[in-house]
């Protein structure tokens, strides 16, 4: 689909607003957890939420950059001011965005363990399952890193992927 100049401009500008709002939301969650860390970080729920929000800050900031990291002079891209390196960095952090849904899945698993059939205590979940939850949520980090030497992150219209 071919977009008009005004459509390309809107597609470039809107993510600046939504990305900033998402960063603010994720930082608010991080602040809420860390301000009362002596109580909250003893529970697996908050540690999972902390991991999800931490990675979401980077993903939201990367998406919020929109077309800015795309190499300057890229044809048909409004607001491109970057270089190949900035595009690669944005693509890497956008790939890290997949950590958040993985953590969301771990949060669902946590609640399943907490309340289905034979409910487990938070201490049992923490000792038996939590390390596997965090390890599973980190799988996208491996793929993001693997994309760097393979130079898989390039301009894709509205952001680098």
């Amino acid at each position: 689909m071919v977009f008009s100049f005004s459509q390309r401009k809107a597609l470039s500008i809107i993510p600046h607003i939504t990305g900033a709002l998402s960063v603010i939301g994720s930082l608010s969650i991080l602040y809420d957890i860390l301000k009362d860390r002596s109580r909250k970080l003893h529970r697996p729920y908050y540690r999972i939420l902390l991991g999800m929000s931490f990675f979401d800050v980077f993903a939201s900031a990367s998406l919020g950059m929109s077309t800015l990291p795309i190499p300057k002079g890229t044809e048909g891209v409004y607001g491109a001011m970057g270089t190949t390196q900035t595009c690669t960095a944005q693509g890497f952090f956008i790939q890290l965005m997949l950590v958040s849904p993985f953590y969301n899945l771990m949060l669902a698993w946590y609640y399943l363990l907490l309340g289905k059939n034979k409910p487990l205590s938070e201490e049992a979940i923490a000792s038996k399952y939590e390390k596997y939850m965090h390890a599973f949520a980190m799988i996208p980090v491996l793929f993001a890193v693997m994309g760097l030497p393979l130079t898989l992150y390039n301009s894709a219209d509205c952001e680098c992927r």
Side-chain angles (χ1 to χ4, degrees), residues 45-94:
Y45 166 79
Y46 287 108
R47 291 190 295 262
I48 293 168
L49 192 60
L50 183 76
M52 183 167 42
S53 297
F54 176 79
F55 281 97
D56 193 52
V57 167
F58 293 107
S60 298
S62 295
L63 288 170
M65 291 292 157
S66 183
T67 57
L68 294 175
I70 293 175
K72 190 174 189 166
T74 301
E75 189 177 329
V77 178
Y78 177 82
M81 300 176 157
T83 64
T84 304
Q85 291 80 13
T86 58
C87 194
T88 298
Q90 184 188 36
F92 173 79
F93 286 110
I94 287 175

Side-chain angles (χ1 to χ4, degrees), residues 121-138:
S121 67
E122 285 192 337
E123 294 78 22
I125 293 171
S127 66
K128 284 184 172 182
Y129 297 103
E130 188 179 6
K131 60 185 168 198
Y132 300 111
M133 292 173 158
H134 291 290
F136 181 78
M138 292 297 121

Side-chain angles (χ1 to χ4, degrees), residues 48 52 97-109 133-140 143:
I48 293 168
M52 183 167 42
M97 179 173 49
L98 290 174
V99 174
S100 290
F102 273 60
Y103 263 121
N104 199 353
L105 177 62
M106 294 306 98
L107 206 51
W109 187 25
M133 292 173 158
H134 291 290
F136 181 78
M138 292 297 121
I139 290 172
F143 291 115

